[in-house]
Structure formats: C-alpha cells, structure tokens
Amino acid sequence: MNSALQPQGQFGIAAVILGVVALALAIIPRAIFEVPPPWPTQSAPKPQQVVEGGETFQWKGATVTIGGTTKEVPPPPPTPAPASSKALFIITTLVALAGIAVGVIASWRERSYLLAGPALALCSVALLWHYILIGVTVAIAVLIIVALLSHLSG
C-alpha cells in the first residue's frame, strides 16, 4: 500500500505535544516557582472608620466612643499582578487553544481519534486547571464528611 494515502497521525501527535506543554505551563510555574495567578486571590479591603478625639470605653469586647469625629480611611490600592504572571497565563491559553485547534484538525482530517481525544482533554484541563483544583478539593472534603458520618452512624 502507498504510505502517502495513509494518515500518518502527525496532527494528532502535535496536538498531544501541545496539550502536554499547555498543561505543564499551567502547573509547573505555579507549583514550583510560586508564580501567582493573574487575578486577585483576596477580596478588596473595605474602608475603615477611625474616630479622632473623644473618649473610648471598652468592656467585654464592646467599644463605645463618646464625642470625637468619625473619618473613613480608604484602604491602600491592591497590588497589581506581576507582568510575568499575566504573560504566562496568556501563553498557556494560546498553547492550549492551538492544541485544541490541531486536535480538531487531527480528528477531522486524519480520523486519529486515539490521539485527538487525549490531546483535547489535556488542553481543556490546562485551560480549566484552577477550577479542576477547586473541584478536587471540594470532592475530597465531601468524601471526608461522608466517611465521618458513616463511621459515626455505624
């Protein structure tokens, strides 16, 4: 048979490689080099009220201030995400989207579903990595609660 007519799986292999690279870009810098995510991880601080002057009395955790003026002190502005974090996020997204595109081409052109399927899965996991971590954490917490409840009931 002529090998030129047979699909070689080159797009499928390229898609798998792009998927592995995208997943590595999503996991390794944050896990090993502690690169923060490009979005804020804490809620914005609220302004604080400060009383100037007057007399303050405290008793059992309750505070009463008589007289004085109340001023709102704005919180300091949040620190912006580092440029390296944003660049890494954009590169990861571009590599994952390129892997998805090449995986779709591989499944359409080469009928290489054995390579395109895992490639698409790897790229999707790279795009949704933080949500997957949250889901795994919630699942482990639910399993621990179920295990404790079954142990206590039986």
Side-chain angles (χ1 to χ4, degrees):
M1 258 194 158
N2 190 357
S3 65
L5 297 176
Q6 296 292 326
Q8 299 295 321
Q10 295 163 343
F11 284 109
I13 293 170
V16 169
I17 291 172
L18 284 171
V20 169
V21 168
L23 192 58
L25 284 172
I27 296 172
I28 292 173
R30 289 182 179 88
I32 295 176
F33 302 116
E34 298 178 2
V35 175
W39 50 84
T41 56
Q42 303 171 359
S43 62
K46 298 186 179 185
Q48 295 180 349
Q49 292 186 353
V50 177
V51 178
E52 292 180 347
E55 190 70 33
T56 304
F57 300 102
Q58 291 182 344
W59 185 64
K60 292 188 178 183
T63 304
V64 176
T65 303
I66 300 172
T69 59
T70 303
K71 289 176 53 178
E72 268 195 21
V73 177
T79 57
S84 62
S85 176
K86 291 180 182 179
L88 183 68
F89 180 72
I90 291 171
I91 291 170
T92 302
T93 303
L94 290 176
V95 171
L97 291 176
I100 288 173
V102 173
V104 168
I105 291 171
S107 66
W108 174 67
R109 193 165 178 205
E110 297 175 348
R111 304 287 184 224
S112 175
Y113 301 114
L114 290 176
L115 291 174
L120 293 173
L122 286 171
C123 291
S124 299
V125 167
L127 285 175
L128 302 172
W129 177 247
H130 295 285
Y131 298 109
I132 291 171
L133 285 180
I134 292 169
V136 167
T137 304
V138 168
I140 290 173
V142 167
L143 286 175
I144 290 172
I145 291 170
V146 167
L148 284 173
L149 290 176
S150 68
H151 179 70
L152 292 175
S153 68

